[in-house]
Amino acid sequence: MGLYVIRRLLLAIPTLLVISLIVFAILDLAPGDPTSQLPLTIPAEIREQIRESLGFNDPFFLRWWNWNKLMVINEPIHAFESITNTCFGDCDSRERIISWSSRSPAMDTVYQRLPQTLWVLGLGLLFGVLIAVPIGTMQAYKQYSWFDNVGTVVTLLGFSVPVFVIGPLFIYLFSVKLGWLPTYYTTTHDVQWTSWSSIWFQIKQLLMPVGVLTLFNAATFGRFARASVLENLNQSYVRTARSKGVRERSVMTTHVLRNSLIPVITLLALSVPGIFGGAIITENIFRINGLGQLLLVSIGQNDLPMVQSLVFIFAVLTVMFNILADVLYGFLDPRIRYD
């Protein structure tokens, strides 16, 4: 297992290098200028000096290589120093990726926005999976019953109705009509874990965005869980276990559910990075200052360093979660070997 994980991590390095080259090349082809946000009164020679200082006039492969060094080496070192309050080498003058719009380190903005995204997306994904797996399993076990039919209708609604429709509908119903929940997410709210009122306010403002994402995720994962359980219920090993007198609960939990989780984990591993990207709509509907909104604003402002950093982070998440899914397969299915 250890050698397999190390081998996959080593293979991930050239994969991420190719991804970074593609991302950098695509975004580099887009029209953009680091001085486009500056006042028009700044002379042309000063603008040229700024371009030169940012390496904008360097050859393509040199800029790509420098960006890789900053993204893969300098930024992780700076993050480690910030967490551990240490300093390696000349930490004060270490180069970092600079946002064209804010003129500050791009990753600092990412770190500031990350907690808001994790609050909403993490809870939406967690609740979605926790709801989907038992309900999808029960639907398959009681196929064509009223429970299965109602669950199918609800999951189809959750899967087919877009988030940009459900979100405003929730705002109109729970904020405008009933007045139960705040209309928008207050990003500046600092949760005080010793204050019940502060915790309650955080719960109230999380209910709608988390509810929208939970509904979508539960519908998606529920359909996969139902189909996977149905397929395994008809397998010969299930009939053999039942013929041996194994209790029905053991058949479902030990044999059927365990094997049925493999495609769900695959979907979960592939969905996590996509959910970060899909958060653009949810975060904009509820005005959450997360990574999705940051990506959208950065694209609008033509802030290429910020866009490149965010897209590369999503790519790293995709590769890492795929490796994690492959490792989890071995725990769920003993037939899988890593030799």
Side-chain angles (χ1 to χ4, degrees), residues 118-319:
L118 291 180
W119 265 110
V120 177
L121 299 186
L123 291 176
L125 186 62
L126 176 65
F127 292 150
V129 173
L130 291 179
I131 292 172
V133 172
I135 289 181
T137 304
M138 189 62 69
Q139 280 184 264
Y141 187 72
K142 298 184 176 180
Q143 190 181 16
Y144 303 134
S145 65
W146 68 267
F147 183 84
D148 183 30
N149 293 330
V150 172
T152 301
V153 171
V154 173
T155 51
L156 282 176
L157 281 174
F159 189 73
S160 56
V161 180
V163 172
F164 59 81
V165 174
I166 299 178
L169 192 64
F170 274 28
I171 292 175
Y172 177 76
L173 180 62
F174 295 109
S175 296
V176 178
K177 283 296 181 183
L178 299 176
W180 291 351
L181 303 173
T183 308
Y184 301 113
Y185 188 94
T186 305
T187 307
T188 55
H189 175 63
D190 186 15
V191 183
Q192 302 295 324
W193 296 107
T194 56
S195 170
W196 172 245
S197 60
S198 175
I199 296 174
W200 178 238
F201 181 80
Q202 180 69 7
I203 292 174
K204 285 174 62 178
Q205 69 173 355
L206 279 172
L207 279 176
M208 279 199 293
V210 171
V212 169
L213 291 173
T214 298
L215 182 62
F216 177 76
N217 291 325
T220 306
F221 288 104
R223 296 297 295 171
F224 268 82
R226 180 182 180 276
S228 182
V229 172
L230 274 178
E231 183 181 351
N232 282 284
L233 278 173
N234 296 320
Q235 296 294 321
S236 57
Y237 68 88
V238 176
R239 289 194 295 272
T240 303
R242 284 173 172 164
S243 66
K244 287 182 176 179
V246 179
R247 290 189 306 169
E248 190 65 17
R249 177 176 294 181
S250 297
V251 172
M252 290 300 297
T253 55
T254 306
H255 300 285
V256 177
L257 184 59
R258 186 174 179 178
N259 288 321
S260 302
L261 285 178
I262 294 177
V264 177
I265 286 178
T266 304
L267 179 64
L268 179 62
L270 296 176
S271 298
V272 171
I275 287 174
F276 277 91
I280 294 173
I281 299 173
T282 308
E283 289 183 351
N284 275 278
I285 290 174
F286 296 101
R287 294 188 181 179
I288 302 171
N289 285 331
L291 295 184
Q293 191 188 56
L294 177 63
L295 178 62
L296 189 65
V297 171
S298 301
I299 292 173
Q301 294 176 344
N302 210 11
D303 188 356
L304 293 187
M306 183 65 78
V307 176
Q308 287 165 344
S309 301
L310 288 171
V311 173
F312 186 70
I313 290 172
F314 296 155
V316 172
L317 287 174
T318 303
V319 173

Side-chain angles (χ1 to χ4, degrees), residues 33-35 38 44-58 62-63 66-67 70 95-100 103 305:
D33 190 328
T35 63
L38 297 177
E45 58 271 17
I46 300 298
R47 291 175 180 272
E48 189 57 32
Q49 291 176 5
I50 293 175
R51 291 192 191 95
E52 193 69 29
S53 65
L54 293 174
F56 193 71
N57 297 328
D58 292 340
L62 180 59
R63 283 186 286 124
N66 290 334
W67 178 79
L70 297 179
E95 283 189 74
R96 303 188 63 191
I97 299 173
I98 301 299
S99 166
W100 287 357
R103 307 294 171 187

